[in-house]
Amino acid sequence: MALLSLVTPVTTEIPVWRRAVLKIGSSLIAPGGESLSTRHLLDIARFIERARGSKREVIVVSSGAVAAGRAALRARGQTAPEGIGGRQALAALGQAELMRFWARFFDFPVAQLLLTQDDVADRRRFLNARNTLRGLRSVDVLPIINENDSVAVDELRFGDNDTLAAHVAVLVEADLLFLCTDVDGLYDRDPRLHPDAHRLRRIEAIDETVMSLAGDAGTSVGTGGMRTKLTAARRAAEAGIGTVILDGRGDASLSDLLQARNPGTYVLPAQQRRAARKHWMLHALPTAGVLHIDAGASTALSGAGASLLPRGIVSSEGQFEVGDAVEIHCDGRAIGKGIVQYRATELARIRGRHSREIVELLGECPSESVVHRDDLVLL
């Protein structure tokens, strides 16, 4: 059974690290969702100072802006506005409060960086964000990153700060990703219902068996949004970055991180690290459509490293344009993702045909392939 291979003795350790992304969940920075609190942040701030004192870099991904904005209004006797616009207003107000709150802990400067999905989906903006973070680190400034909730709409959102933290870990080429929450890792069963439940200290690969242990956010097993943490850890693993899911309440578990000890659940990086551009294509680019291909084309892609030609495409879904990302399916299963060279209306005319027929059908042939192998990542 796959689960048995995930449980290892308590001596499990983590790699020695020099650069890490530290994600702080709302349950730690704003317990109860009421207002920003130093209850847990004092220990976290001490951890950051100790890490920097030992010549290690820490990049913080912090939740809490909306809670801070709500608390600021409450202090003035005002109620929070409702709806999406109201939440965005709370985030805009709360970002300033959040940064003032963080700055109180340190005698070195902190800097804020707000990101949206577009900032990692667009390759140029991805590189610009990377350069900004590199510049901040070069002058010994602590980057504090959050999603730009004040302007982001659903299609531009990461959805949760665990996902954002995984993208940031790739941006800065971190050694490890630390996801701090109010639970001490992933268990094989709900420990509040089963006293003999075991914490999984080491996970070699996140598959459906592992994901099934997480439940949904808000359920007994999924306290702290464990499913989103595992999804983020899987994304980081594909980029060659390990993840530690830990309880951020108290100094003991944070001190373990400094000693390369594992205080929670350690998700190992993939043995074969996915190239940075391939990882960006798979996880950052939004999907605009689906291409359904036949078995012969699937074999050519996976076995021969070929490009996807129009002849192998059976059907397509979505109104995609040139340069959009599409999923590639065979027999109802996703096998890859790639960047298309033809818009949906053009593909409808050339699918199932030989590449030499493209000029006759469209009047021109921008590319013999629909998805070039350099723009293709297989799952």
Side-chain angles (χ1 to χ4, degrees), residues 247-264:
D247 190 340
R249 301 171 299 177
D251 181 67
S253 58
L254 295 166
S255 295
D256 279 345
L257 297 179
L258 293 172
Q259 302 301 320
R261 294 194 294 261
N262 174 20

mmCIF file of all heavy atoms in Angstrom, residues 247-264:
data_model
loop_
_atom_site.group_PDB
_atom_site.id
_atom_site.type_symbol
_atom_site.label_atom_id
_atom_site.label_comp_id
_atom_site.label_asym_id
_atom_site.label_seq_id
_atom_site.Cartn_x
_atom_site.Cartn_y
_atom_site.Cartn_z
ATOM 1 N N ASP A 247 3.719 23.468 12.355
ATOM 2 C CA ASP A 247 2.980 24.322 13.277
ATOM 3 C C ASP A 247 3.854 25.533 13.593
ATOM 4 O O ASP A 247 4.940 25.388 14.171
ATOM 5 C CB ASP A 247 2.651 23.538 14.555
ATOM 6 C CG ASP A 247 1.681 24.272 15.465
ATOM 7 O OD1 ASP A 247 1.555 25.510 15.328
ATOM 8 O OD2 ASP A 247 1.064 23.616 16.321
ATOM 9 N N GLY A 248 3.388 26.709 13.222
ATOM 10 C CA GLY A 248 4.167 27.922 13.443
ATOM 11 C C GLY A 248 3.918 28.568 14.786
ATOM 12 O O GLY A 248 4.398 29.680 15.038
ATOM 13 N N ARG A 249 3.191 27.905 15.659
ATOM 14 C CA ARG A 249 2.894 28.460 16.980
ATOM 15 C C ARG A 249 3.941 27.990 17.980
ATOM 16 O O ARG A 249 3.927 26.853 18.415
ATOM 17 C CB ARG A 249 1.509 28.016 17.445
ATOM 18 C CG ARG A 249 0.379 28.430 16.519
ATOM 19 C CD ARG A 249 -0.926 27.781 16.932
ATOM 20 N NE ARG A 249 -0.833 26.325 16.872
ATOM 21 C CZ ARG A 249 -1.808 25.503 17.236
ATOM 22 N NH1 ARG A 249 -2.943 25.995 17.690
ATOM 23 N NH2 ARG A 249 -1.650 24.188 17.149
ATOM 24 N N GLY A 250 4.868 28.858 18.320
ATOM 25 C CA GLY A 250 5.883 28.498 19.297
ATOM 26 C C GLY A 250 7.258 28.394 18.684
ATOM 27 O O GLY A 250 7.434 28.206 17.472
ATOM 28 N N ASP A 251 8.259 28.487 19.538
ATOM 29 C CA ASP A 251 9.645 28.566 19.082
ATOM 30 C C ASP A 251 10.242 27.213 18.719
ATOM 31 O O ASP A 251 11.150 27.137 17.907
ATOM 32 C CB ASP A 251 10.487 29.232 20.176
ATOM 33 C CG ASP A 251 11.946 29.382 19.786
ATOM 34 O OD1 ASP A 251 12.225 30.168 18.855
ATOM 35 O OD2 ASP A 251 12.794 28.699 20.385
ATOM 36 N N ALA A 252 9.734 26.132 19.315
ATOM 37 C CA ALA A 252 10.406 24.833 19.180
ATOM 38 C C ALA A 252 10.480 24.361 17.733
ATOM 39 O O ALA A 252 11.556 23.978 17.240
ATOM 40 C CB ALA A 252 9.700 23.787 20.042
ATOM 41 N N SER A 253 9.344 24.367 17.035
ATOM 42 C CA SER A 253 9.350 23.865 15.663
ATOM 43 C C SER A 253 10.154 24.778 14.743
ATOM 44 O O SER A 253 10.833 24.311 13.824
ATOM 45 C CB SER A 253 7.921 23.716 15.145
ATOM 46 O OG SER A 253 7.237 24.948 15.197
ATOM 47 N N LEU A 254 10.105 26.085 14.976
ATOM 48 C CA LEU A 254 10.882 27.013 14.159
ATOM 49 C C LEU A 254 12.378 26.824 14.394
ATOM 50 O O LEU A 254 13.184 26.896 13.459
ATOM 51 C CB LEU A 254 10.464 28.447 14.477
ATOM 52 C CG LEU A 254 9.020 28.795 14.109
ATOM 53 C CD1 LEU A 254 8.601 30.108 14.762
ATOM 54 C CD2 LEU A 254 8.842 28.875 12.599
ATOM 55 N N SER A 255 12.763 26.559 15.624
ATOM 56 C CA SER A 255 14.181 26.302 15.919
ATOM 57 C C SER A 255 14.660 25.040 15.222
ATOM 58 O O SER A 255 15.821 24.959 14.793
ATOM 59 C CB SER A 255 14.386 26.173 17.432
ATOM 60 O OG SER A 255 14.115 27.396 18.081
ATOM 61 N N ASP A 256 13.772 24.051 15.092
ATOM 62 C CA ASP A 256 14.148 22.830 14.378
ATOM 63 C C ASP A 256 14.560 23.140 12.940
ATOM 64 O O ASP A 256 15.495 22.531 12.408
ATOM 65 C CB ASP A 256 12.975 21.843 14.374
ATOM 66 C CG ASP A 256 12.856 21.061 15.673
ATOM 67 O OD1 ASP A 256 13.824 21.070 16.461
ATOM 68 O OD2 ASP A 256 11.799 20.457 15.900
ATOM 69 N N LEU A 257 13.871 24.067 12.310
ATOM 70 C CA LEU A 257 14.205 24.413 10.929
ATOM 71 C C LEU A 257 15.628 24.938 10.822
ATOM 72 O O LEU A 257 16.336 24.658 9.854
ATOM 73 C CB LEU A 257 13.228 25.473 10.407
ATOM 74 C CG LEU A 257 11.757 25.077 10.309
ATOM 75 C CD1 LEU A 257 10.933 26.252 9.805
ATOM 76 C CD2 LEU A 257 11.569 23.861 9.407
ATOM 77 N N LEU A 258 16.065 25.700 11.824
ATOM 78 C CA LEU A 258 17.423 26.238 11.808
ATOM 79 C C LEU A 258 18.468 25.146 11.987
ATOM 80 O O LEU A 258 19.613 25.293 11.546
ATOM 81 C CB LEU A 258 17.581 27.286 12.907
ATOM 82 C CG LEU A 258 16.772 28.576 12.726
ATOM 83 C CD1 LEU A 258 16.856 29.435 13.975
ATOM 84 C CD2 LEU A 258 17.267 29.353 11.511
ATOM 85 N N GLN A 259 18.069 24.048 12.630
ATOM 86 C CA GLN A 259 18.984 22.936 12.868
ATOM 87 C C GLN A 259 18.832 21.826 11.827
ATOM 88 O O GLN A 259 19.360 20.724 12.011
ATOM 89 C CB GLN A 259 18.739 22.363 14.270
ATOM 90 C CG GLN A 259 18.905 23.367 15.403
ATOM 91 C CD GLN A 259 20.296 23.964 15.440
ATOM 92 O OE1 GLN A 259 21.285 23.258 15.223
ATOM 93 N NE2 GLN A 259 20.383 25.267 15.707
ATOM 94 N N ALA A 260 18.111 22.120 10.738
ATOM 95 C CA ALA A 260 17.864 21.130 9.676
ATOM 96 C C ALA A 260 17.153 19.905 10.214
ATOM 97 O O ALA A 260 17.357 18.782 9.736
ATOM 98 C CB ALA A 260 19.157 20.741 8.969
ATOM 99 N N ARG A 261 16.304 20.120 11.229
ATOM 100 C CA ARG A 261 15.457 19.043 11.729
ATOM 101 C C ARG A 261 14.036 19.250 11.222
ATOM 102 O O ARG A 261 13.612 20.368 10.958
ATOM 103 C CB ARG A 261 15.481 19.005 13.263
ATOM 104 C CG ARG A 261 16.835 18.635 13.854
ATOM 105 C CD ARG A 261 16.699 18.274 15.330
ATOM 106 N NE ARG A 261 16.299 19.429 16.120
ATOM 107 C CZ ARG A 261 17.127 20.186 16.831
ATOM 108 N NH1 ARG A 261 18.428 19.896 16.850
ATOM 109 N NH2 ARG A 261 16.682 21.210 17.532
ATOM 110 N N ASN A 262 13.299 18.160 11.151
ATOM 111 C CA ASN A 262 11.946 18.200 10.601
ATOM 112 C C ASN A 262 10.914 18.271 11.717
ATOM 113 O O ASN A 262 10.681 17.279 12.404
ATOM 114 C CB ASN A 262 11.710 16.957 9.733
ATOM 115 C CG ASN A 262 10.276 16.862 9.242
ATOM 116 O OD1 ASN A 262 9.548 17.851 9.217
ATOM 117 N ND2 ASN A 262 9.864 15.662 8.854
ATOM 118 N N PRO A 263 10.249 19.419 11.893
ATOM 119 C CA PRO A 263 9.249 19.531 12.955
ATOM 120 C C PRO A 263 7.833 19.174 12.512
ATOM 121 O O PRO A 263 6.903 19.231 13.322
ATOM 122 C CB PRO A 263 9.322 21.021 13.304
ATOM 123 C CG PRO A 263 9.616 21.671 11.994
ATOM 124 C CD PRO A 263 10.499 20.706 11.222
ATOM 125 N N GLY A 264 7.651 18.852 11.254
ATOM 126 C CA GLY A 264 6.302 18.617 10.755
ATOM 127 C C GLY A 264 6.260 17.515 9.721
ATOM 128 O O GLY A 264 6.712 16.393 9.955
#
